[in-house]
Amino acid sequence: MNVNKFVFILPTSDYLDYGSCVLRKVIRESVDVGDHYRALEGGDATPENVESAVKGVNPALVAGIGHGSPCAYTVQDKEFLLMCLDPSHGCDTDMNMGLVGGRVWFLNSCHVGEELGKVMVEEYGAVAFLGSNAPYLFPVFAPPCTDFDVMAAFTAEYAALHYLLRGFTVKEAHNARLKAYDELIREYTVGSRKTSPNAQLIVRLLRVDKDIAVFYGDGSAIVATAEPQVKSALMHHPMEAGVGAVAIVIGGLALLSEAISKLKRKAS
Amino acid sequence: MTLSYIRSWFSKLPEDEKDLPIVILDGVAYTPRMILHEVERGSKVGAELQAKVEAHSFGTTEEEAYNLALIRLKEILKKYPPNKPVIAVLSTPPTALTPEQVIQEVEEGTPLGKRLVNAELQQVKYILSLR
């Protein structure tokens, strides 16, 4: 795979801005200067632009948010990017499946893990797929990224992306997001966030989203290289990597990122 | 099995959970505060409730479990404006649900409703296991 090369899909229509604003922060904190990537945001996150970016960058990882069904993943304005034939779910053709092979896909979307994710791996050569196999839920009682409560679900989910971008394997990344969900459930039940007026609702959504998290394909695949010292630091401080990397407060991400940068400079 | 066990458990609960029904016994839903009161009174029902808490058991039938989850979800969602979306779903077509619509999903037993019930019961077990 073409490691350290990524394409990110950040549509903002139809409530997707709730996830895209968190994804934007993850990219800012996790992608190194030396990495090569394209990030398609808002009106730029069209099927044509994504197709062009994937063909141009030939990334090891495509990561994004979008609305989905068992057989389709959509981007800005619900335009179809990927589809596998399944008339029973309203998918009457394959679409763009030729883009899929030879790379890891992280798609934060409802249902895609139910069928499309499997087809991507089993029939079209995707190295791995991470996503959800049922409806993915998130709160919308406040505007996007205005407080941690509305970001909580995505913060846990994108722990997987943090790990992937720091050189961990697909399986390690998947486990990191499960751990992040558990940690946030604990925080909102008995920890520092239990006094939030939204704590009870957030916990229920976190539990649903954790239960539907799936990955398929090669769990040992890696999409980014990281300095051994960086990985070692994260392995010895798993809570920091799992929870700090997703950070109860986003400021924690900045601290972790700074720590990683220091280690990298020391290594070089 | 001692009073101190229940007191210790009660003290660890988030404030919001202390007055949410958590155990059903003989068709009656008891909150943690009610359970503590009965155990402190030394009543027969208190002893039965204490046994349930210690066994992390919230009910005996599927129907009781469902009813408990529904009561709790209704209480939780009461905090939010009834006609304003509170949860969004990354589905096609995109969906945003008001509190009323969320409860409707649960009452109609839709796949989403069942997941919410399951999540609620997982949280009940977690609350019962707090030490």
Side-chain angles (χ1 to χ4, degrees):
Chain A
M1 279 197 293
N2 221 358
V3 295
N4 300 327
K5 294 193 185 334
F6 320 116
V7 168
F8 300 108
I9 310 169
L10 298 91
T12 52
S13 57
D14 307 291
Y15 295 100
L16 295 175
D17 45 349
Y18 280 85
S20 285
C21 64
V22 180
L23 187 48
R24 197 176 303 121
K25 291 177 194 288
V26 171
I27 295 167
R28 197 164 56 230
E29 298 292 345
S30 305
V31 177
D32 288 331
V33 169
D35 296 330
H36 180 54
Y37 70 96
R38 287 283 309 277
L40 300 166
E41 298 192 43
D44 286 337
T46 64
E48 296 75 24
N49 286 349
V50 174
E51 183 185 350
S52 173
V54 171
K55 285 178 175 173
V57 174
N58 190 20
L61 170 70
V62 178
I65 183 174
H67 290 288
S69 75
C71 52
Y73 165 73
T74 68
V75 291
Q76 184 76 3
D77 297 325
K78 295 165 286 185
E79 288 199 76
F80 290 101
L81 173 66
L82 297 173
M83 186 184 288
C84 66
L85 177 66
D86 179 6
S88 69
H89 284 113
C91 296
D92 53 8
T93 185
D94 286 343
M95 185 185 292
N96 283 328
M97 296 301 280
L99 296 176
V100 157
R103 51 189 117 257
V104 173
W105 292 76
F106 174 87
L107 299 179
N108 177 211
S109 181
C110 281
H111 290 295
V112 171
E114 199 175 317
E115 182 189 349
L116 177 60
K118 291 181 191 175
V119 169
M120 288 165 73
V121 170
E122 291 168 11
E123 296 181 29
Y124 288 91
V127 172
F129 166 87
L130 298 96
S132 303
N133 64 1
Y136 184 88
L137 308 180
F138 56 99
V140 293
F141 43 67
C145 284
T146 49
D147 67 27
F148 189 81
D149 287 354
V150 285
M151 298 162 63
F154 296 110
T155 299
E157 184 70 13
Y158 298 161
L161 197 51
H162 275 287
Y163 266 58
L164 285 171
L165 294 172
R166 282 177 167 77
F168 286 86
T169 66
V170 164
K171 187 166 183 187
E172 285 167 335
H174 173 67
N175 288 341
R177 70 172 158 164
L178 298 181
K179 189 170 175 181
Y181 276 114
D182 281 339
E183 183 55 29
L184 281 177
I185 287 166
R186 193 195 66 77
E187 281 290 319
Y188 273 102
T189 305
V190 295
S192 62
R193 300 227 155 246
K194 69 179 180 183
T195 53
S196 163
N198 302 302
Q200 289 180 309
L201 178 62
I202 301 290
V203 165
R204 276 74 185 160
L205 303 185
L206 290 169
R207 286 196 176 276
V208 169
D209 292 339
K210 181 199 169 188
D211 279 354
I212 62 173
V214 294
F215 90 88
Y216 309 119
D218 183 1
S220 68
I222 289 175
V223 302
T225 53
E227 294 295 332
Q229 294 92 330
V230 171
K231 280 193 78 170
S232 175
L234 288 171
M235 293 295 277
H236 285 113
H237 301 280
M239 288 306 291
E240 195 170 301
V243 177
V246 296
I248 301 298
V249 177
I250 289 298
L253 270 175
L255 287 172
L256 179 61
S257 185
E258 190 188 330
I260 291 168
S261 297
K262 280 184 184 167
L263 281 165
K264 283 186 173 178
R265 284 196 295 273
K266 202 172 163 183
S268 62
Chain B
M1 291 194 274
T2 62
L3 173 57
S4 63
Y5 181 99
I6 291 294
R7 279 185 175 149
S8 173
W9 168 71
F10 185 83
S11 72
K12 290 185 173 51
L13 301 181
E15 279 308 309
D16 280 355
E17 284 288 341
K18 288 176 177 174
D19 295 298
L20 260 190
I22 195 162
V23 168
I24 291 186
L25 180 66
D26 296 330
V28 178
Y30 291 87
T31 68
R33 200 178 300 280
M34 291 162 72
I35 293 170
L36 177 64
H37 176 67
E38 290 296 334
V39 173
E40 284 177 335
R41 275 196 332 129
S43 68
K44 180 171 173 286
V45 77
E48 291 179 61
L49 289 168
Q50 178 158 356
K52 276 196 172 289
V53 171
E54 290 179 356
H56 307 167
S57 167
F58 47 79
T60 51
T61 67
E62 210 169 295
E63 189 183 354
E64 280 181 348
Y66 168 81
N67 287 336
L68 182 68
L70 182 59
I71 291 168
R72 290 172 59 88
L73 285 167
K74 281 181 174 174
E75 278 303 309
I76 290 164
L77 287 164
K78 262 188 199 173
K79 295 178 201 174
Y80 299 93
N83 299 319
K84 206 174 148 196
V86 66
I87 297 172
V89 188
L90 287 181
S91 56
T92 52
T95 308
L97 302 169
T98 64
E100 200 175 281
Q101 288 168 326
V102 174
I103 293 302
Q104 198 174 354
E105 294 276 335
V106 175
E107 287 175 336
E108 290 178 2
T110 64
L112 178 58
K114 286 179 183 172
R115 288 200 176 272
L116 287 166
V117 167
N118 189 51
E120 189 58 41
L121 295 177
Q122 284 178 18
Q123 184 66 1
V124 166
K125 284 183 187 167
Y126 184 42
I127 295 288
L128 285 169
S129 72
L130 290 175
R131 293 289 174 267

